[in-house]
Amino acid sequence: MSTPEDIARLRQLKESEPLQKAWDEWTKTKKSLEDLKPLLSDSDPSMRALAAEEHEALDGTLTQLLQSTFPSLLVPPSTTASLSALVELKSGAGGTESSLFLADLLRMYMRFASANSFRATVVAENENEAGGTKDAIVEIKGEGAYDAFRWESGVHRVQRVPSTDAAGRVHTSTATVIVLPLLEEKDVQKEDLFRMEDVKIEVMRARGAGGQHVNKTESAVRLTHIPSGITVSMQDERSQHQNKRRAFQVLSARLMDQKITREIAERRATRNSLVKSADRSEKIRTYNYAQERVTDHRIGMSIMNLTSVMEGDALQDFVDALKKDHEETLMEEMLNDQCD
Amino acid sequence: MRLPLRELKWLRKAAADANRPLDALVRRRQQGEPLQYIIGTQPFGPLELSVRPPILIPRPETEHWVIELAARIPESARHLLDLGTGSGCIPLLLAHLCPALSAHAVDVNPAAVTLATENAARCSVTRFRAFQANFLDPDFHVHAMLCPPYDVLTSNPPYIPWNEYLELPDEVKNYEDPRALFGGPSGLEFYHAIARLAVRERFLSSDAIIALEVGHDQAEAVGAIFESVSLRTEAWTDPWGKKRTIIAYRGT
């Protein structure tokens, strides 16, 4: 059996692995360069040419290590690396078309999650009677799920001719995505996010005499966290117990999200940092169907293959680019700290 | 009858899970059959129980008080008896939540005994035995399968009085066993029998806890029945604001 200390040591070992790998590559390349030097002045011209070619390649490797590998290792390990995610989707402006788009986004995230070996479950979903999905909550389980999804938070805008528009006019609609950090049930207590006595638990709908008199399924539950005013309603499960569990999961995720946001704000305040914080009402991405184009407005990146993005494949390119952008911002912050 | 979207969603899932045609399930629901019987299961706390007609479908009120009770059962308690067990929901959830408990469950209907036994296997609760018996029988306390004294006595006995029985929704009356619902003319018959058992010599341990579900307006009457045999009682309220559970204590 492994002890908690063993696990901590193993984690440390695993976390330092990229460092070791980069250093090994650096020393190996340096050594190869040293070994190559005498050959550069070899008497055989073809040998000299070969050596020069090799020299250039090794030089390129060193530059790559210096310019991107080493700096990326400076980025402090993410404090949220182990967290799963809860993704909330809410339709916005645009009526039924917004709900139809939300269903497309939901499908995109489900596919993206499974491509990344995360376990995705729709835990709440309100269908729109006229088509599509009004709102949904998806649980994405797996290490790194939060870090992969977190940059999806914000307003997503779609421009297309809705399948419901007979006249064929282009509509603009929006859907809002909120990505929350999801803790394991056993870790919720450790984080001390709320006190039980601060949470009001209510059941919804009257049940008349109740008990043996009624066998209708009435399982809807609403939680109110009094200090923060956060309310969570859950009615997708067939038992109160399950809905309560789900509702507490959402409440914990929202409170954890507030905690992380608060910590970032505090850190930034002490650093007097000018880095803009993520605003959830900000329009982050536009999906233009007519032009097969998806643009992320934060990093000014466009992908000219909307179909692939919606299939969850090219979404990876956005996620990678946003992660890189975030890391570069972190590095800039670190450098600024050094200058102060 | 148009089904609520949520019920439709649950039926759709049930159809997909068991490879059954959805329209047949929807039709049964439209004809008034309880959703739980059509799907064939009902979650109860962390457990998922099989349900089938005519055995009483576990109710959310019961789920609520049983979870509360689990937190109040002392760790020293070892033996539990559930009277009129139906699907076995009460003793199975308590045995699941309190690992020191082993449970006996009785029901007058052999079909309930079979279902409860099946549910024990389904939920991997091994400290459980259900058997057929009628606890209204004057000789019930000497039934060979019993092994008193018990530390916990639970029951959700039939408690619907005659006049209210006639008014029950079809969904209940046409599908669930009257033997699980009808509590005699006053609705209180079974509580009298349980009170007699509770004070019988050596049937319960000296610090036993008794938990009984009651109908929407019966808490006072049932409390009085147990106080008349010198037990201490309290009433617990369900999430809908009804006094739903009478807790009686043998100790002081």
Side-chain angles (χ1 to χ4, degrees):
Chain A
M1 281 292 282
S2 49
T3 65
E5 292 84 45
D6 288 342
I7 293 167
R9 261 184 232 121
L10 273 173
R11 179 166 297 162
Q12 205 178 4
L13 209 61
K14 193 155 165 41
E15 275 169 8
S16 60
E17 228 167 54
L19 210 65
Q20 182 67 47
K21 217 176 121 215
W23 181 248
D24 285 349
E25 203 182 344
W26 171 261
T27 44
K28 196 180 106 220
T29 315
K30 288 278 276 186
K31 170 94 171 40
S32 306
L33 261 180
E34 282 304 315
D35 294 348
L36 198 65
K37 261 190 191 151
L39 293 176
L40 284 171
S41 45
D42 199 271
S43 54
D44 182 350
S46 64
M47 185 56 94
R48 278 209 304 277
L50 217 66
E53 213 173 286
E54 178 76 14
H55 187 269
E56 203 174 322
L58 291 170
D59 209 40
T61 309
L62 282 186
T63 312
Q64 167 79 16
L65 280 166
L66 268 179
Q67 284 186 345
S68 73
T69 312
F70 285 167
S72 77
L73 290 169
L74 287 175
V75 176
S78 162
T79 52
T80 49
S82 66
L83 298 181
S84 296
L86 210 56
V87 180
E88 290 193 61
L89 299 102
K90 292 174 183 166
S91 51
T96 296
E97 162 63 355
S98 168
S99 296
L100 289 169
F101 176 54
L102 192 141
D104 294 336
L105 284 181
L106 181 59
R107 180 175 174 277
M108 172 177 87
Y109 288 139
M110 296 300 280
R111 292 183 59 97
F112 177 73
S114 97
N116 280 278
S117 305
F118 299 130
R119 297 179 306 282
T121 318
V122 179
V123 299
E125 188 177 13
N126 277 303
E127 286 172 33
N128 183 5
E129 299 223 10
T133 306
K134 265 192 274 188
D135 52 70
I137 301 179
V138 192
E139 175 194 75
I140 318 262
K141 284 231 172 185
E143 227 178 86
Y146 176 67
D147 280 0
F149 274 85
R150 61 186 297 191
W151 309 112
E152 291 304 302
S153 279
V155 175
H156 296 240
R157 181 172 69 166
V158 63
Q159 293 173 323
R160 67 179 177 189
V161 180
S163 55
T164 49
D165 189 307
R169 285 166 306 194
V170 173
H171 288 224
T172 298
S173 317
T174 61
T176 301
V177 176
I178 299 169
V179 180
L180 303 170
L182 182 64
L183 296 165
E184 291 294 320
E185 251 163 293
K186 60 176 169 31
D187 293 329
V188 169
Q189 267 140 28
K190 271 190 263 166
E191 288 286 342
D192 203 19
L193 293 168
F194 59 85
R195 296 181 309 168
M196 243 359 228
E197 57 264 36
D198 287 338
V199 183
K200 187 168 77 173
I201 305 173
E202 291 165 287
V203 288
M204 285 139 86
R205 288 197 211 102
R207 239 177 100 73
Q212 290 169 11
H213 291 74
V214 185
N215 64 13
K216 254 205 295 230
T217 304
E218 294 311 2
S219 54
V221 166
R222 180 171 61 206
L223 303 185
T224 308
H225 181 243
I226 296 157
S228 65
I230 293 175
T231 65
V232 184
S233 299
M234 201 53 80
Q235 52 181 348
D236 285 57
E237 305 280 357
R238 288 201 291 133
S239 89
Q240 256 197 60
H241 173 80
Q242 289 176 338
N243 278 327
K244 216 187 283 180
R245 234 187 97 223
R246 285 291 183 201
F248 269 108
Q249 193 183 34
V250 175
L251 175 65
S252 305
R254 291 204 185 144
L255 290 169
M256 186 65 193
D257 176 60
Q258 289 190 344
K259 189 175 174 187
I260 290 176
T261 312
R262 207 162 48 233
E263 282 168 0
I264 292 173
E266 279 162 12
R267 217 161 44 231
R268 288 198 169 140
T270 58
R271 276 190 185 149
N272 202 9
S273 158
L274 293 174
V275 180
K276 57 181 189 305
S277 61
D279 180 359
R280 268 162 203 166
S281 57
E282 197 186 351
K283 180 187 73 197
I284 59 158
R285 206 176 280 157
T286 299
Y287 302 73
N288 186 314
Y289 275 68
Q291 296 172 17
E292 260 291 301
R293 174 171 51 91
V294 185
T295 303
D296 195 290
H297 304 293
R298 292 164 296 183
I299 48 173
M301 175 176 164
S302 285
I303 291 179
M304 301 307 294
N305 188 349
L306 179 138
T307 311
S308 174
V309 174
M310 298 312 287
E311 288 296 310
D313 302 329
L315 180 61
Q316 186 71 54
D317 299 342
F318 277 130
V319 168
D320 292 343
L322 286 158
K323 181 167 177 270
K324 190 155 168 285
D325 180 67
H326 172 63
E327 287 177 353
E328 281 168 9
T329 312
L330 283 181
M331 268 191 278
E332 262 170 57
E333 276 188 11
M334 280 170 52
L335 287 173
N336 287 338
D337 279 358
Q338 304 276 307
C339 300
D340 289 344
Chain B
M1 178 176 115
R2 191 142 170 269
L3 293 186
L5 271 178
R6 212 156 297 282
E7 288 199 4
L8 196 61
K9 205 172 91 180
W10 291 326
L11 286 175
R12 210 181 289 143
K13 186 173 180 303
D17 286 353
N19 207 5
R20 296 190 284 174
L22 176 64
D23 53 346
L25 304 189
V26 170
R27 210 168 312 121
R28 281 168 67 184
R29 182 72 191 117
Q30 282 167 333
Q31 282 159 5
E33 186 172 345
L35 183 79
Q36 299 89 331
Y37 283 155
I38 302 170
I39 294 175
T41 60
Q42 173 61 26
F44 194 72
L47 305 179
E48 173 136 314
L49 302 172
S50 285
V51 292
R52 58 173 173 258
I55 311 304
L56 189 83
I57 297 162
R59 307 291 203 256
E61 289 87 350
T62 314
E63 179 185 46
H64 184 260
W65 71 255
V66 171
I67 291 172
E68 302 258 289
L69 179 65
R72 301 278 284 271
I73 291 178
E75 270 178 48
S76 57
R78 290 290 171 274
H79 301 286
L80 173 148
L81 175 65
D82 183 49
L83 302 171
T85 201
S87 63
C89 60
I90 298 171
L92 289 174
L93 183 52
L94 288 174
H96 175 84
L97 295 175
C98 310
L101 274 186
S102 53
H104 281 167
V106 303
D107 204 290
V108 71
N109 184 351
V113 174
T114 308
L115 182 63
T117 307
E118 215 175 285
N119 276 327
R122 186 187 171 107
C123 304
S124 314
V125 176
T126 51
R127 297 158 281 113
F128 178 84
R129 200 164 66 198
F131 49 93
Q132 197 274 334
N134 180 359
F135 68 89
L136 294 181
D137 185 336
D139 292 329
F140 171 73
H141 63 282
V142 291
H143 193 288
M145 300 286 269
L146 293 171
C147 53
Y150 291 100
D151 308 307
V152 185
L153 181 68
T154 56
S155 185
N156 175 18
Y159 53 62
I160 299 176
W162 183 240
N163 57 333
E164 290 177 29
Y165 187 82
L166 298 174
E167 303 292 314
L168 285 178
D170 289 346
E171 236 179 307
V172 176
K173 198 169 38 183
N174 296 349
Y175 293 91
E176 295 184 293
D177 193 351
R179 282 178 291 177
L181 299 165
F182 180 44
S186 67
L188 299 172
E189 305 299 305
F190 290 83
Y191 299 105
H192 289 289
I194 295 170
R196 284 194 294 273
L197 273 176
V199 292
R200 188 169 278 284
E201 195 73 13
R202 280 202 304 278
F203 192 74
L204 297 184
S205 58
S206 58
D207 54 355
I209 179 168
I210 303 156
L212 308 163
E213 181 167 320
V214 300
H216 61 110
D217 58 357
Q218 295 172 327
E220 209 171 304
V222 174
I225 292 170
F226 284 81
E227 274 151 29
S228 75
V229 293
S230 303
L231 296 183
R232 203 157 44 86
T233 68
E234 64 189 49
W236 290 357
T237 306
D238 73 16
W240 287 269
K242 296 266 188 318
K243 285 190 179 153
R244 183 60 63 189
T245 318
I246 292 294
I247 305 295
Y249 302 91
R250 286 210 62 183
T252 37

